[in-house]
Amino acid sequence: MSSIPASAFLALALILFCIGLYGALTKRNTVIVLISIELMLNAVNINLVTFSKYGMAPSITGQVFALFAMAVAAAEAAVGLAILMSVYRNKKTVHIDEMDEMKN
C-alpha cells in the first residue's frame, strides 16, 4: 500500500464523492439516491483511512473512525430501505417527485 501515493487515494475519493453527489442531486429514483449517498460515505471513509495512513501523525484512529462510519452507514441504509418499502406499499412509486405529502 505504501507504493501507491496518497494523492491516488484522494483522487479516487474525490471521483467517488462527485459521482455520488451527482446521483443524489439529479436522480429521481429513491433507491438510486440512497446508493449515491452510500457512495459519498465510502469516499469519506477512503479519505479517513488515507489520512490515518499518510497523515502527519499516522495512527489507527482514522481507521477506527472509518469502521464506525461504516456501521452508521449500514444502519442508515437499513432504515432508509425500510422507509422506502413502507412508502412504496402505500404510494406504489419510488420517485421523489411523487413523495410530497409533508409539503403542506
Side-chain angles (χ1 to χ4, degrees), residues 13-93:
L14 176 68
I15 291 168
L16 284 178
F17 191 85
C18 289
I19 292 171
L21 185 64
Y22 175 77
L25 293 178
T26 61
K27 300 301 178 189
R28 298 291 173 229
N29 189 331
T30 315
V31 175
I32 300 297
V33 171
L34 282 175
I35 291 171
S36 298
I37 291 171
E38 292 295 322
L39 206 58
M40 288 191 291
L41 287 172
N42 284 328
V44 170
N45 287 336
I46 289 173
N47 276 341
L48 287 172
V49 172
T50 300
F51 284 118
S52 74
K53 176 74 176 169
Y54 294 102
M56 297 290 281
S59 68
I60 198 166
T61 307
Q63 296 170 16
V64 171
F65 197 72
L67 282 175
F68 178 73
M70 281 191 265
V72 171
E76 173 258 332
V79 171
L81 286 175
I83 291 171
L84 180 63
M85 287 178 61
S86 176
V87 168
Y88 181 75
R89 285 183 186 153
N90 291 331
K91 298 202 115 198
K92 302 293 182 201
T93 184

